[in-house]
Amino acid sequence: MAGGGQVEAPAIGREGAGDGDSVSQVISRLVEDEGSALQAFYDARSHRPAWHDGESVAAFAAALHTLDTDGLIPQDYQADGLVAAHREAYAEGGSDGGNAGGNAGGNAEGNEREARFDLHVSRVLLTALTHLQRGKVDPRAIDGDWDIPIEAAELDPTAISRAVDAQRFEQAFAEARPAYAPYERLRAGLARYRTLERLGGWESLPARQRALRPGDIDDDVVLLRERLAIMGEVELMAATIEAFPGGVIEGPDPRHYDAKLEAAVRRFQRRHLLEGDGIVGQQTLAALNVPVEDRIDQIRLNMERARWLLHGLPESFVLVDIAGYRLSYFRPNGEIWRSRIVVGRPYRRTPSLRSEITHMTVNPTWTIPPTILREDVLPAVRRDLGYLWRERIQVLSPSGAPLDPWEIDWSRPGNVVLRQSPGPHNALGELVIRFPNEHMVYLHDTPSQGLFAREQRAASSGCIRVENIAEFTQLLFDDTDSGHDVRSQIERGETRNVRLAERVPVILHYWTVHPSEDGQLAFRPDIYERDDALLRALDRPLAL
């Protein structure tokens, strides 16, 4: 049944309900048709019932309600119906609820009912643990570009069995959830925003014809000040006469857009990847006015994304934060090297994937991919054939033989290959960092360095442009003992592949909430419009 509401006791099957079967024997028979996780759980218990004790069921039901701290919905796991279902399962003629093994010669129908109930509750427990560890939603169902392997949950059936017997359910949940600091920061942020929701959230700032600017004196500045103070900028709150009856208070005018408020607005803008100019225009106003309920949902769905990813991470790896426009290299020595990046446009999305960096291409040529050729380059060539010379693009046959551009009908060019010569002008710059993947994306340099100065940088055709890529490449060479100097490799002027002595894991992932180390949550624009589909899937009731 779907999550929530009254839980019906599992139906009693006619087959195999022998008069002499104990509850343990019925469990042993029924579990053969279940999944491997449930079989392993009962194997660890020698098929003893786990849920004969009503107190244990009640404790488990109470623990299920704590799943809301992970952004999951307790009703999905039937938290409000398990106790009643236990009473029904043990209501008529079954074995004594205190007898773990059941009565070998007892009521066969009752034993069957109890065994089916036991399997059902264990299935709920394992489902909850799996969702905490790996996520509730299958990312492949909502993201056609998803290319990160989905690994089965790693659950210890013996440890889970012991936790059930000791009624340590919240401990079992804690051991299942991702043991990484970003996940815990998201949990803390979710709790904080839910507190804000209980306190009434925040008042929206009214629409304005002109932006609020530093130096302005306006009633809306008071609302702006209060809004940012709610988010932690407590020094912005100005005392009011009403708070101190009979007192005379001198202080700054709360309607004045002063330097402290400007600094707080700039911090807010930077966290939300807005232009950090201190001016409250339409984009900043829209970000300020997102309701607390929507921010809670945004945190919840990014906790789900964290559960997809935050397990089995190596000590050293490269993480590409697509929606945050940032690359982080977690080095073997514990340091973290970070850089700004440019990612794919909304209609040419950078995919989510997991791979390993194998080599670099120095002074690369660029064979123009079919989509860019069709949509960008051919229209430019048709307007002006001189585009090929200005961009130093060769026209080749599929076998690599040079072709004369003047002899080609560019309205129907056929199966030609366009390749840009190496050099600083090349669209890939001077370096490409390669890793195997079906999407043909990679990390690379760019001659368009000015793009890195923008706050929002979805401007590529799917590959990732990396600021200071030569420094990054040298770190990869050094950390893998590859023995190469990146600058001397470039200065040789040759197009050549240079391999790493060891592969370096790389993960491309999409986050629209980033938990910083100081506990602040940075909310990013959903550039690929993926949040709504994930939220719908996350809130879809389960059938257990």
Side-chain angles (χ1 to χ4, degrees), residues 309-335:
L309 179 68
L310 295 181
H311 52 82
L313 294 179
E315 290 186 4
S316 177
F317 67 102
V318 176
L319 177 63
V320 175
D321 180 358
I322 298 169
Y325 309 112
R326 183 169 68 168
L327 179 148
S328 299
Y329 171 36
F330 296 82
R331 301 182 62 196
N333 63 5
E335 295 178 357

Side-chain angles (χ1 to χ4, degrees), residues 27-41:
I27 288 174
S28 178
R29 171 170 50 81
L30 294 178
V31 80
E32 292 180 0
D33 296 327
E34 299 288 343
S36 59
L38 200 60
Q39 291 180 15
F41 173 74

